[in-house]
Amino acid sequence: MCGIIGYIGPREASDLIYGGLKRLEYRGYDSSGIAVLNGNEIAVERAVGKLGNMDAKMDGLRAIFKARQISGVQTGIGHTRWATHGGVTEENAHPHLNSEGSIAVIQNGIIENFVEIKHDLQAEGVAFKSETDTEVVPHMVDAYMRGGQSFEQAAFTTLKQLRGSNAIVMMNMREPGKLIAARLGNAGGISIGINSDETFIASDVPGILEHTRNIVFLEDGEVALVSVGKIEVRKLDGTPVRKPVHAIAWDPVSAEKGEYRHFMQKEIFEQARALTDTVRGRVNFETGQVVLDGFDSWRPSKIYSVACGTSKNSALVGKFYLESIARIPVEVDYGSEFRYRDPLIEPGHAILGITQSGETADTLAAMHEGQQKGARVWSIVNAVGSQAERSSDVTISMRTGPEIGVCSTKTFVASIVDQYLLACYLAQQSGDDKLAARARALALELAHLPGLVSQVLEANPIYDELANKFHDREHFLFLGRGMNYPIALEGALKLKEVSYIHAEGYPAGEMKHGPIALIDETMPVVCVAVKDSVYDKMISQVEQVRARGGTVIAIATQGDTFIRTKADYVIEIPPAPEFLIPVLVTIPMQRLSYHMAVRLGCDVDQPRNLAKSVTVE
Ligand code: M6R
């Protein structure tokens, strides 16, 4: 959950940047760094651990301002890093520089193609000082500038070549008073604040809100050329973009909501970033090796996953991963039911509690039941320090940041990916070379996930149209097969929670055993009909719905023209590895529910009768 702060203006830059990073501290990080322009050099300080460890190094940066008695413009950037590529070391902390030290770059996200770029640069003689993906950026910009391009041209040429989802800020020693900031995908935001004589950049509005309330938000694929009191925004192809300046109210809730109307909407759009944070530091993207803090080589003979609501749906997806990737049998139970069936738990079994709040009474009781019967207790939790974490032997932290909307969105996808990581980890520890090799290959695929999620978030197809057309329906059916059956359950749960429309999720093959009786021309049926191993079977279910007059809204794979001849509406997701498809399919489900709820005027963030933590049985 890295933080970014940038500043151009008359004030001493390093303290201002430090203050901004401090305000973003709650998002979590493991190292930090600040770079300020000092005449003909860039002065950089970095430290591992808490920001306080920068304190001793700040005097040098402050001295730059004093020594030069500058009344002109100060330029600087700062970053708090949560390791993805490379360990937690000072060398790996941002900002990163080119060999000459004239270009400094900070980045949030994952550069998916950094390995290829790094090899090319190394072949041209570039020496790298860190293990990070980010360091390729200053070297690329440098190479293009040496080839005759201006800083601006070199930045655009470089940005166009990066694959993945990133927020990036660059500074050039030879152009004081200028920063270039870019948002590629949704792995991190870029907010730019302006006053008449100074400009601020932040990954998150609270980092700069004490200085300005006038904020411009970059969208995916936009690059800002930032100077004193001025922002020029262009698309990657150079087309100028007119950006509205948002006046942000001075209260923590509006600040946290930023450009979004509701927290649910914000949290849906934060998912690329949440998934970047989920995998960061846990996968070595050169080898595919997974590292999970606190886990050792112990292998349970069986896992009982216990959870409620959305987290239970996540556990059902996780069962596919743990059984297929790690080859460990899994039973999934409602937290509220587990202890009433006298489960056959033995030492050698693990109980895996999945809970975003970490305080759900039913899930805690199920975990306790497992512990009493001798199981090792594992958990996947978002709320740090919660009861679930305290009562577990080991916890995988979801790392999504606070989820404020009552309805779970980003914690759902994060907990799915945490189970994917756990499955890969267990396979790699299994001692079975074939399992381990497959798990390494699967772990490497996670590098593409934030980018794929960004693509689904960027597409804005027909949610308004669907909400206008179907908001007055009383019932919805959601169908999926295999790994996408739990996603159908989640789609139905989301819709009922936020829009109060009755919805059922069903395994598609079960429809003919009962629910088919419900289908008539008033019934919209959301079918997950993506190109996976059960595609053909899904198509026959789609036919069965159509034959009975139902309206089919298909979630399908980009480029599938056949589905368009079968469904009434199609929402596309990009082609993806089969195990990652459930994450992508989730997003249209969430967005559909959100648009329906907004159309119906429902209280999206606090739906009636629901609570964020259900601490009663
Ligand atoms: O905090 P938990 O993940 O344990 O919460 C479990 C359920 O209460 C929760 O998922 C609930 O279903 C949400 N309202 C879903 O949006």
Side-chain angles (χ1 to χ4, degrees):
M1 302 172 207
C2 309
I4 280 178
I5 298 288
Y7 176 71
I8 309 174
R11 287 192 261 176
E12 198 281 301
S14 63
D15 269 332
L16 190 143
I17 291 166
Y18 183 96
L21 294 175
K22 193 91 190 135
R23 239 152 263 114
L24 301 182
E25 225 179 356
Y26 66 98
R27 293 180 177 273
Y29 62 97
D30 48 42
S31 54
S32 53
I34 295 177
V36 291
L37 220 60
N38 177 21
N40 51 3
E41 66 158 353
I42 294 178
V44 185
E45 293 293 353
R46 306 184 186 93
V48 164
K50 289 284 139 200
L51 251 179
N53 297 342
M54 283 286 289
D55 285 349
K57 305 181 174 195
M58 290 297 291
D59 281 347
L61 296 176
R62 287 182 198 119
I64 292 169
F65 181 70
K66 286 195 194 118
R68 299 176 64 222
Q69 291 295 303
I70 300 166
S71 54
V73 70
Q74 308 298 301
T75 315
I77 55 180
H79 189 260
T80 43
R81 169 178 190 249
W82 193 332
T84 49
H85 296 65
V88 181
T89 62
E90 234 173 87
E91 292 71 34
N92 289 336
H94 302 209
H96 291 288
L97 304 178
N98 60 328
S99 308
E100 188 199 7
S102 57
I103 297 156
V105 175
I106 51 181
Q107 193 253 149
N108 289 353
I110 293 175
I111 299 172
E112 289 175 20
N113 54 339
F114 91 100
V115 177
E116 298 99 277
I117 298 173
K118 187 170 176 176
H119 287 163
D120 290 350
L121 288 164
Q122 282 171 326
E124 285 161 23
V126 175
F128 278 76
K129 295 198 175 86
S130 78
E131 303 158 286
T132 64
D133 50 347
T134 306
E135 198 189 338
V136 298
V137 179
H139 291 301
M140 288 170 86
V141 174
D142 181 38
Y144 290 119
M145 288 177 73
R146 284 172 196 279
Q149 297 188 14
S150 67
F151 175 44
E152 198 178 300
Q153 287 166 331
F156 275 83
T157 315
T158 300
L159 291 167
K160 279 187 221 164
Q161 288 176 60
L162 303 181
R163 281 211 319 269
S165 222
N166 330 87
I168 298 179
V169 182
M170 309 180 196
M171 174 166 93
N172 172 18
M173 177 182 91
R174 298 196 174 82
E175 291 184 55
K178 181 176 200 170
L179 292 174
I180 299 182
R183 175 173 178 171
L184 310 175
N186 289 292
I190 290 281
S191 311
I192 305 170
I194 13 175
N195 289 338
S196 56
D197 63 345
E198 52 188 355
T199 318
F200 310 83
I201 299 177
S203 49
D204 306 271
V205 175
I208 52 175
L209 204 62
E210 70 169 306
H211 304 297
T212 178
R213 299 183 203 177
N214 304 320
I215 307 284
V216 169
F217 297 103
L218 289 195
E219 301 296 331
D220 172 28
E222 290 180 349
V223 184
L225 309 172
V226 180
S227 49
V228 180
K230 194 173 156 219
I231 310 169
E232 193 187 324
V233 179
R234 297 195 207 140
K235 291 198 173 141
L236 268 182
D237 64 8
T239 319
V241 187
R242 280 175 68 88
K243 299 292 293 180
V245 179
H246 296 259
I248 304 291
W250 178 252
D251 71 90
V253 174
S254 305
E256 197 49 52
K257 234 190 266 177
E259 69 210 275
Y260 297 99
R261 193 167 156 201
H262 299 101
F263 279 108
M264 180 182 178
Q265 184 191 26
K266 174 175 186 264
E267 286 155 4
I268 288 172
F269 278 86
E270 273 173 355
Q271 290 179 112
R273 171 175 168 167
L275 294 180
T276 307
D277 290 333
T278 298
V279 298
R280 78 175 61 248
R282 289 170 170 165
V283 180
N284 179 330
F285 283 111
E286 292 184 66
T287 62
Q289 201 64 36
V290 174
V291 178
L292 286 180
D293 287 345
F295 282 81
D296 52 28
S297 57
W298 181 74
R299 180 179 172 86
S301 56
K302 184 171 186 176
I303 298 172
Y304 287 90
S305 297
V306 291
C308 300
T310 289
S311 294
K312 156 94 173 7
N313 295 335
S314 163
L316 290 170
V317 181
K319 175 180 165 77
F320 280 86
Y321 296 156
L322 290 159
E323 292 192 338
S324 168
I325 302 171
R327 305 307 290 164
I328 297 174
V330 177
E331 282 193 35
V332 178
D333 269 90
Y334 286 110
S336 55
E337 289 293 320
F338 190 64
R339 62 196 190 282
Y340 301 115
R341 72 172 179 90
D342 196 13
L344 299 173
I345 299 174
E346 301 162 6
H349 291 171
I351 183 140
L352 173 63
I354 302 174
T355 165
Q356 62 77 26
S357 63
E359 302 292 350
T360 300
D362 289 322
T363 305
L364 291 172
M367 290 164 67
H368 183 68
E369 174 80 10
Q371 191 167 40
Q372 292 296 300
K373 291 191 159 170
R376 207 176 271 203
V377 182
W378 292 347
S379 58
I380 296 178
V381 180
N382 197 41
V384 177
S386 60
Q387 182 63 38
E389 189 181 312
R390 295 198 305 275
S391 47
S392 300
D393 296 308
V394 202
T395 297
I396 303 177
S397 168
M398 287 188 206
R399 296 180 177 174
T400 71
E403 187 176 67
I404 299 186
V406 164
C407 173
S408 300
T409 51
K410 60 180 179 175
T411 54
F412 178 64
V413 295
S415 63
I416 289 177
V417 174
D418 284 324
Q419 290 171 91
Y420 185 105
L421 287 166
L422 179 60
C424 290
Y425 177 84
L426 292 169
Q428 291 173 8
Q429 299 294 320
S430 66
D432 178 328
D433 290 348
K434 249 170 107 181
L435 272 193
R438 177 166 176 251
R440 282 196 295 276
L442 288 169
L444 286 175
E445 288 180 345
L446 287 172
H448 307 293
L449 187 59
L452 290 165
V453 167
S454 283
Q455 285 181 46
V456 186
L457 290 169
E458 282 145 31
N460 194 12
I462 49 170
Y463 301 111
D464 278 332
E465 185 188 342
L466 293 173
N468 283 332
K469 180 117 184 134
F470 296 115
H471 69 277
D472 57 353
R473 298 301 165 92
E474 287 182 21
H475 310 281
F476 260 72
L477 194 57
F478 287 74
L479 301 178
R481 289 193 90 116
M483 275 181 281
N484 289 311
Y485 156 54
I487 307 300
L489 292 178
E490 178 60 10
L493 179 60
K494 285 287 87 89
L495 188 66
K496 42 188 164 204
E497 275 187 303
V498 294
S499 72
Y500 317 140
I501 294 172
H502 170 241
E504 295 271 359
Y506 246 87
E510 269 293 299
M511 186 184 62
K512 57 188 175 295
H513 300 292
I516 199 162
L518 296 171
I519 294 176
D520 62 15
E521 50 295 330
T522 66
M523 175 70 96
V525 184
V526 180
C527 297
V528 184
V530 290
K531 287 274 186 159
D532 59 8
S533 52
V534 291
Y535 175 75
D536 293 338
K537 309 232 179 257
M538 253 336 277
I539 292 293
S540 43
Q541 253 83 62
V542 167
E543 308 259 23
Q544 289 169 25
V545 173
R546 286 296 295 276
R548 283 150 189 91
T551 305
V552 173
I553 302 165
I555 300 178
T557 307
Q558 249 162 35
D560 179 1
T561 47
F562 182 66
I563 191 73
R564 294 195 174 269
T565 66
K566 301 285 169 195
D568 300 277
Y569 300 90
V570 176
I571 302 173
E572 292 186 333
I573 61 161
E578 187 143 356
F579 281 142
L580 300 184
I581 290 175
V583 174
L584 304 185
V585 172
T586 300
I587 295 163
M589 302 277 194
Q590 296 167 337
R591 293 182 73 185
L592 177 62
S593 303
Y594 173 76
H595 282 257
M596 293 287 253
V598 170
R599 177 68 180 74
L600 287 162
C602 298
D603 186 345
V604 176
D605 286 331
Q606 287 171 322
R608 69 184 180 208
N609 307 337
L610 296 181
K612 191 69 183 158
S613 305
V614 184
T615 52
V616 291
E617 187 182 344

